[in-house]
Amino acid sequence: MTGARFTHVTVRRPDLRIPFPRRFAARLTGETVVALIRRAKYLAAELSSQGTLLMHLGMSGSFRVERPGAGKTRKPRAEGKHDHVVFEMSNGAVVTFTDPRRFGFMDLLTPKQLAAHPVFSTLGPEPLSDAFDGDSLALACQGKKTSLKAALLDQRVVAGLGNIYVVEALHRAGLSPMRPASILATASGKPRPSAHRLAKEIKQVLLEAIERKRNPSYRANRFRVYDREDEPCLRRGCGGRIQRRTQAGRSTFYCASCQR
DNA sequence: ATTGAGACCTGTCGGC
DNA sequence: TGCCGACAGGTCTCAA
């Protein structure tokens, strides 16, 4: 999409989580994508003159990119039941947004709206950036009464972690999801060793996930705790069993014997 | 100001 | 096979 122009935009189902802005398709058509970026779990296309197209996949969303072959007759695309938006680009690419649960959304924001966006503007650091480390994590959690689990799911603390990788990172770091987030720092705000461990494992678990997605032959173990209730803990020499409980409405999986 | 619960919507899976 | 409830990797809103 980068550098390409929207030649045709179809909204087949306008009622996603957030209603589309007025004249969405019309405003997008003719715009060129200056840059395509990701921030937290948001995708953003910076447009040549209409601001930013902000997109989110929700729980079940995905994009499909097709190139109806140059030269061949352009066949009408068989539209799936949950194909809600279709972008036809000037370079021939057809980008389709599919989302069965319709928790995803698309929005068009002016630079001013983007800067004032209640979520986008308050996002914490990108976990893989240098701005995120044990120090910044401890600082963000200083004095927090919530659990570590809830704190890591809070996008203002660190951006882009979901339920699975929060649970995985806590297991790797040997920290109980139920501990208060404040334990990562001393009363005076100094990071404890656990903060550095946790920040390191967050980066590690994400890097491995990305690698696994990119390289199918990289068969590193799937999840170590997520969705493994009653199965043995995989930490060497632990011997515990994975337990499950609900925290903040989400499933938490953990090993009570090695996560303290 | 924080925090947990409920809501949003559809699909899938296991049990009966 | 069919029905039913539980559950799903995200985020918002509301009430306490």
Side-chain angles (χ1 to χ4, degrees):
Chain A
M1 290 174 79
T2 305
R5 190 166 30 84
F6 292 90
T7 54
H8 195 76
V9 175
T10 312
V11 175
R12 302 179 67 233
R13 172 123 203 200
D15 51 338
L16 303 187
R17 176 154 59 91
I18 296 177
F20 283 87
R22 290 263 151 264
R23 301 187 356 96
F24 175 80
R27 285 170 64 190
L28 215 41
T29 305
E31 287 291 310
T32 297
V33 177
V34 175
L36 195 59
I37 62 169
R38 179 199 59 76
R39 176 84 169 91
K41 294 171 209 166
Y42 295 85
L43 268 169
E46 190 189 324
L47 306 172
S48 43
S49 66
Q50 284 280 342
T52 300
L53 167 64
L54 194 62
M55 299 168 277
H56 198 291
L57 298 176
M59 295 252 259
S60 58
S62 65
F63 282 102
R64 189 171 72 240
V65 180
E66 294 161 310
R67 292 189 151 269
K72 288 183 215 158
T73 16
R74 203 180 115 189
K75 287 184 297 187
R77 295 169 305 286
E79 304 282 7
K81 185 177 172 195
H82 302 294
D83 292 353
H84 306 313
V85 184
V86 182
F87 299 142
E88 291 170 61
M89 309 301 295
S90 56
N91 59 6
V94 177
V95 180
T96 304
F97 175 69
T98 302
D99 184 9
R101 287 177 79 177
R102 288 189 280 125
F103 283 178
F105 71 83
M106 291 196 188
D107 204 357
L108 276 174
L109 301 175
T110 64
K112 197 173 289 185
Q113 291 172 322
L114 187 63
H117 193 285
V119 173
F120 209 67
S121 63
T122 55
L123 285 174
E126 282 293 321
L128 294 179
S129 72
D130 290 342
F132 177 75
D133 57 16
D135 292 347
S136 63
L137 179 58
L139 198 61
C141 290
Q142 186 185 358
K144 267 201 174 295
K145 299 277 219 302
T146 15
S147 61
L148 278 172
K149 167 79 188 284
L152 294 184
L153 279 177
D154 185 340
Q155 304 293 298
R156 294 167 304 184
V157 170
V158 51
L161 290 186
N163 198 38
I164 289 180
Y165 296 120
V166 164
V167 158
E168 291 293 311
L170 286 168
H171 179 255
R172 287 163 175 248
L175 291 167
S176 164
M178 282 77 76
R179 298 290 296 286
S182 58
I183 60 146
L184 296 182
T186 65
S188 60
K190 205 166 147 272
R192 289 217 163 85
S194 56
H196 292 108
R197 240 166 44 230
L198 184 53
K200 195 189 94 195
E201 297 298 351
I202 286 170
K203 289 175 189 273
Q204 192 60 32
V205 81
L206 291 177
L207 287 171
E208 284 181 25
I210 292 166
E211 184 58 25
R212 202 164 45 233
K213 191 74 181 180
R214 198 165 51 117
N215 177 4
S217 69
Y218 183 81
R219 306 285 302 160
N221 11 322
R222 235 175 96 70
F223 305 130
R224 296 194 195 168
V225 276
Y226 181 80
D227 207 18
R228 296 193 61 247
E229 185 180 17
D230 292 337
E231 291 178 41
C233 177
L234 292 177
R235 185 189 302 277
R236 280 166 53 93
C238 172
R241 288 212 166 265
I242 304 305
Q243 303 185 33
R244 169 199 190 135
R245 71 159 68 185
T246 299
Q247 275 185 298
R250 325 292 308 279
S251 284
T252 289
F253 297 85
Y254 67 103
C255 171
S257 71
C258 70
Q259 290 180 257
R260 294 305 175 143

